[in-house]
Structures are given as structure tokens and as C-alpha cells.
Amino acid sequence: GIQVEQSPPDLILQEGANSTLRCNFSDSVNNLQWFHQNPWGQLINLFYIPSGTKQNGRLSATTVATERYSLLYISSSQTTDSGVYFCALASGNNRLAFGKGNQVVVIP
Amino acid sequence: ETGVTQSPTHLIKTRGQQVTLRCSSQSGHNTVSWYQQALGQGPQFIFQYYREEENGRGNFPPRFSGLQFPNYSSELNVNALELDDSALYLCASSLPLMNTEAFFGQGTRLTVV
């Protein structure tokens, strides 16, 4: 099956700092999503981005499908940005394969 | 709010017992997928239901089974519970096309003792 690698696995940020999370994948994709998992376990949709660039407030994402990677940018980080970020993707169907996640801690 | 709801939110069961988890899909979504998330890991695909039929299955044993109802809601059943079945179980709903966004419920946290 398709392989998904996220880096860095753990990240500690000072409030106000910027960061980039990376997702590499092993095959062409028809679906790529970024999620933020809150402390109660719910996966919050951030971006549906199989290709191109999108922005939503302080967050933006870019997927370069031909080079098989996606990036999630967090600007001016806040303590509420803490949590686990997941990249999930599907190739040829709509069954998502998840990476192991990026654990982000933002300290005041 | 995603519109996908799961019940119960928490559950404790004894090894060997059976459990049923429930999911109501987002309005208009007729495809439901189930995922298992062990502690510290990413979610793993269990199976998917479309038009009340199983439409793809991950690497899970037959004691994991499911149903989808005419209103698109779904159940996940696990028989002969094992300690390793302790996990967060997530349900996602989507449209049946490949290039569509999936939305998740809040999950059911199952503990097997």
C-alpha cells in the first residue's frame, strides 16, 4: 500500500514562531488531507489539497503531486495550535492512509 | 461541526466480550469508513461501506465486522475482544467518488480489560 512519512515527528515552538510540517508519500494520489487532532481525539479538517496551494488564516498548505510531497505551514503559532497534525491520502480509492503524525507543542 | 456523530464516546469491556459501535454519517454522505487508532499511532483503515455493502477492507481479522443501514448510518462490531483492541475508533463519512473530502466523528474510545 501507499507509504506516508511525516516529519518532524515532534516539534516544540515558542508562541509566535512559524513552522513547516512535511508529508512525503510513495505513490500518486487522488486525495490528500491535513487534519489536526484535538486532545479529545477528534480529527479536525484543515485542508483538502491533492494538489496546489491553499490558505486559511494563519495556516496554509502546498502539495506538489509530481514530487510526492505536501507541506503545512503554521505562521505566528499560538498555544491552541498544539496537538497532533496528520497527513492522510488515498490513491485510486477513497480509503485514507495516515502518517504517524507531527506532535506540535507551542509554549507561551 | 462535521455532522458525523459516534456513540458511545467511551466504553470499557472485558476480554472475550463483544462490542457494537455506532456512527451517523454527515447529511448527504452515503459512504462510511471505519478506522482504528492505537495510542501514539495514526489511524488505520478497517473497512468501508457503500450502499449497505462492504467496499474494501484493511488488514483486520473477520471478528471485525460491520453494517450499513438504508439511512447510511453504520455499525462496527468486534467479537471476542482482545486487549490489543483497546484504541480510539473513528468513523468517517464521504461521498462515494474518489476525489472527495472525508469528515470524521469524535471517536469512541474502547478499553478492553
Side-chain angles (χ1 to χ4, degrees):
Chain A
I2 193 164
Q3 303 299 309
V4 186
E5 289 187 12
Q6 291 186 242
S7 59
D10 301 288
L11 189 61
I12 299 175
L13 297 170
Q14 196 75 41
E15 196 169 29
N18 303 327
S19 65
T20 301
L21 309 179
R22 186 177 180 102
C23 173
N24 291 335
F25 44 94
S26 61
D27 205 346
S28 59
V29 296
N30 53 270
N31 180 346
L32 192 149
Q33 294 184 238
W34 281 96
F35 297 93
H36 179 207
Q37 189 163 41
N38 68 21
W40 298 271
Q42 181 154 17
L43 290 169
I44 307 300
N45 289 45
L46 298 178
F47 294 100
Y48 170 74
I49 188 165
S51 64
T53 297
K54 291 185 177 179
Q55 181 157 6
N56 184 3
R58 296 181 296 102
L59 301 181
S60 63
T62 295
T63 296
V64 184
T66 53
E67 297 186 22
R68 298 183 182 168
Y69 73 88
S70 183
L71 302 174
L72 178 69
Y73 304 97
I74 304 173
S75 65
S76 303
S77 59
Q78 300 177 359
T79 55
T80 52
D81 295 330
S82 296
V84 184
Y85 291 80
F86 285 104
C87 168
L89 44 91
S91 177
N93 54 55
N94 57 357
R95 303 157 205 167
L96 294 173
F98 283 77
K100 292 186 176 181
N102 308 95
Q103 175 77 60
V104 174
V105 175
V106 181
I107 55 176
Chain B
E1 186 174 354
T2 67
V4 182
T5 59
Q6 293 186 240
S7 63
T9 55
H10 295 82
L11 201 53
I12 300 175
K13 288 286 189 178
T14 303
R15 189 171 48 183
Q17 285 188 314
Q18 178 266 346
V19 69
T20 298
L21 311 182
R22 295 178 174 84
C23 172
S24 294
S25 63
Q26 184 164 316
S27 178
H29 285 183
N30 56 10
T31 299
V32 174
S33 303
W34 287 91
Y35 294 81
Q36 180 196 65
Q37 186 179 17
L39 198 62
Q41 302 295 317
Q44 298 290 317
F45 173 74
I46 302 175
F47 45 54
Q48 182 181 88
Y49 277 82
Y50 170 60
R51 290 185 175 178
E52 303 176 51
E53 297 285 334
E54 187 178 289
N55 180 40
R57 188 178 185 92
N59 188 25
F60 281 82
R63 60 190 185 83
F64 285 76
S65 63
L67 286 173
Q68 186 179 32
F69 300 98
N71 66 354
Y72 308 141
S73 66
S74 177
E75 289 181 354
L76 164 66
N77 300 290
V78 187
N79 293 321
L81 283 166
E82 301 177 0
L83 297 179
D84 285 349
D85 296 333
S86 296
L88 179 67
Y89 288 85
L90 295 162
C91 166
S93 79
S94 62
L95 296 171
L97 303 174
M98 285 192 296
N99 303 338
T100 59
E101 189 172 4
F103 294 88
F104 283 79
Q106 81 279 20
T108 294
R109 194 167 297 277
L110 172 65
T111 302
V112 182
V113 298

